[in-house]
Amino acid sequence: MSTALADTAAAARPALPRVRTTRVEFAAGARLLDRLPLPAGALAWVRDGEGLVGWGEAARFEIYGPDRIEAARDWWHALLEGTDVEDEVGLPGTGPIAFGSFAFADDSTSPSVLVVPRVVLGRRDGVTWLTTVGSGPRLATPAPVTGPSRLRYSAGESSVTAFREGVTSAVRRIREGELAKVVLAHDLCATAAEPIDARFLLARLAESYAECWAFAVDGLVGATPELLVGRAGERVVSRVLAGTVTRGADPAEDRARGSALMSSAKDREEHRYAVESLAGSLAGRVEDLEVPQTPQILQLSNVAHLATTVTARLVGAGDVLDLVAALHPTAAVGGTPTAPAVALLAELEGMDRGRYAGPVGWVDGRGDGEWGIALRCAQLEGATARLFAGCGIVADSNPDDEVAEAQAKFVPVRDALEGLGA
């Protein structure tokens, strides 16, 4: 880490009070998200009823620049030194926890952040626990949750027209041999009559997309189907997505579209780049790497993806943030080769992605954690939500098809904001 970053980490290092984790009783049908007490400051990482929610702020670290993940890791390790921890549960996610979200680009003006909540309610494998930092309130009666009213939409920093033009330019440059794949995105703004309650958006995304990881960190709220990396002891897992088709009107059409996706040379090529990027980044850090030869179809409410789950065994030292630093950005959100692809997308998108498509998740005191890629998400700022959607562009990409795919990827957050869906 650079001297400047080391000085920043040292200056930002607070004292962490005593951390205590205890088992608690929690009704089988109760939802973790329903315990978030306030509209602002919600922290969450949940999937299919399990995960973590947090609130309050015991410590916070913000960082910019190319070494942001490494600096955050160093701050987290320093914060843990000398921390008094009582953990009677001993599962991944118990004890000290930091939720985090990192900017996509090295030169982003959006800060990357780690937040240590004062209270965490977690559930894993049927076990529920409460973690508190210091003394004070634990569970509180949540304030009422209300949805946004009088929503209106407007173009973001990158319009649909600009996105289509970017795709056209990208295809031309790919065909000229400049690179093999680039992932282009654009944004959409939604404005309500009052500040948007993150809990409203989060709960509806979690209900409608139970197979995704629903997250909230520092106003970034979404439900990602893509797990960048998870670590539990020596076990490492990643779920790679690349290649997309919209859902059909009925099961028969879904099967036909899924079959077409599996046989699409364009989508299989896009997916292969993403899997090879992941495997290459993990090389030397893991053993027993298992990469299925053929992807599976992952069906979500609005689209279906080609998906590959990769597993491995961690070698040597290193926590989940070390793996995050090694893997980001992947071909699934940047392109192939990664460096020229990321440089090109910055030129063609004409916007700062902020923390969209960056790593989002959590890390505990043992170095375990789960980090997804911040997709199907919105950045909330008062009454405004900035939505994002992106597509992988290869030589055979059609600009109109990519525009349609991006519009389909806005649907989850739009529906959730409008109170539609499950």
Side-chain angles (χ1 to χ4, degrees):
M1 183 173 66
S2 70
T3 301
L5 287 176
D7 291 344
T8 300
R13 187 184 306 160
L16 193 64
R18 183 168 179 263
V19 178
R20 185 167 185 260
T21 298
T22 58
R23 290 176 181 254
V24 294
E25 294 297 325
F26 206 65
R31 301 188 308 177
L32 295 175
L33 295 177
D34 289 340
R35 299 307 309 179
L36 289 169
L38 296 171
L43 298 162
W45 178 267
V46 296
R47 179 173 180 253
D48 198 21
E50 296 197 336
L52 304 163
V53 297
W55 57 93
E57 197 168 289
R60 180 185 185 88
F61 181 68
E62 292 188 2
I63 190 70
Y64 300 82
D67 298 324
R68 58 199 177 280
I69 302 175
E70 294 86 349
R73 176 204 60 203
D74 292 347
W75 176 85
W76 176 237
H77 290 177
L79 186 64
L80 294 172
E81 291 180 6
T83 298
D84 180 15
V85 179
E86 179 185 343
D87 182 359
E88 69 177 40
V89 182
L91 291 173
T94 63
I97 289 290
F99 290 83
S101 177
F102 294 99
F104 174 83
D106 291 348
D107 60 354
S108 175
T109 60
S110 294
S112 298
V113 61
L114 285 185
V115 178
V116 181
R118 289 197 174 276
V119 182
V120 174
L121 184 65
R123 182 161 54 196
R124 185 185 185 98
D125 299 331
V127 178
T128 306
W129 64 85
L130 185 72
T131 297
T132 55
V133 178
S135 58
R138 295 187 174 190
L139 296 177
T141 301
V145 178
T146 57
S149 63
R150 300 197 298 277
L151 280 169
R152 55 183 177 84
Y153 294 92
S154 59
E157 294 181 24
S158 177
S159 66
V160 173
T161 299
F163 177 71
R164 181 184 282 106
E165 292 172 351
V167 173
T168 300
S169 296
V171 169
R172 174 178 55 79
R173 294 168 78 160
I174 290 169
R175 290 176 178 175
E176 290 173 352
E178 189 172 330
L179 70 167
K181 171 189 171 183
V182 65
V183 180
L184 294 181
H186 74 109
D187 57 345
L188 175 71
C189 286
T191 304
E194 63 286 303
I196 298 172
D197 190 333
R199 299 172 302 168
F200 180 86
L201 176 58
L202 181 63
R204 273 144 190 81
L205 287 171
E207 291 166 4
S208 297
Y209 297 89
E211 58 279 270
C212 296
W213 290 267
F215 60 86
V217 179
D218 208 39
L220 186 69
V221 182
T224 180
E226 191 153 0
L227 184 67
L228 177 64
V229 65
R231 173 188 182 252
E234 292 185 340
R235 184 175 183 271
V236 175
V237 62
S238 177
R239 185 163 81 177
V240 181
L241 303 183
T244 305
V245 67
T246 55
R247 291 288 302 272
D250 52 49
E253 188 175 355
D254 270 341
R255 288 191 294 272
R257 292 191 177 194
S259 178
L261 182 62
M262 285 289 288
S263 60
S264 165
K266 175 260 183 187
D267 289 291
R268 291 293 290 268
E269 178 186 29
E270 180 186 344
H271 191 80
R272 177 174 59 81
Y273 288 141
V275 173
E276 289 177 351
S277 168
L278 174 79
S281 297
L282 287 175
R285 299 175 179 271
V286 299
E287 293 180 342
D288 303 329
L289 184 67
E290 294 187 8
V291 182
Q293 294 297 310
T294 304
Q296 304 295 313
I297 296 291
L298 174 66
Q299 286 193 340
L300 305 180
S301 298
N302 61 322
V303 295
H305 298 288
L306 292 179
T308 295
T309 299
V310 176
T311 59
R313 184 172 61 84
L314 186 66
V315 174
D319 67 10
V320 71
L321 287 176
D322 290 296
L323 296 173
V324 171
L327 291 173
H328 177 75
T330 68
V333 291
T336 305
T338 301
V342 170
L344 180 61
L345 70 88
E347 172 190 336
L348 296 181
E349 285 180 351
M351 69 174 189
D352 186 340
R353 289 185 173 190
R355 291 178 287 146
Y356 164 72
V360 60
W362 61 271
V363 58
D364 69 15
R366 289 172 290 271
D368 291 333
E370 292 176 304
W371 290 78
I373 298 175
L375 306 173
R376 316 294 198 275
C377 63
Q379 179 67 49
L380 304 184
E381 298 287 349
T384 300
R386 185 186 180 204
L387 289 64
F388 303 87
C391 305
I393 311 303
V394 294
D396 292 336
S397 293
N398 178 285
D400 289 335
D401 291 343
E402 301 303 332
V403 167
E405 180 180 323
Q407 293 305 305
K409 289 177 177 177
F410 281 127
V411 167
V413 179
R414 289 191 63 158
D415 281 356
L417 284 171
E418 294 166 13
L420 304 176

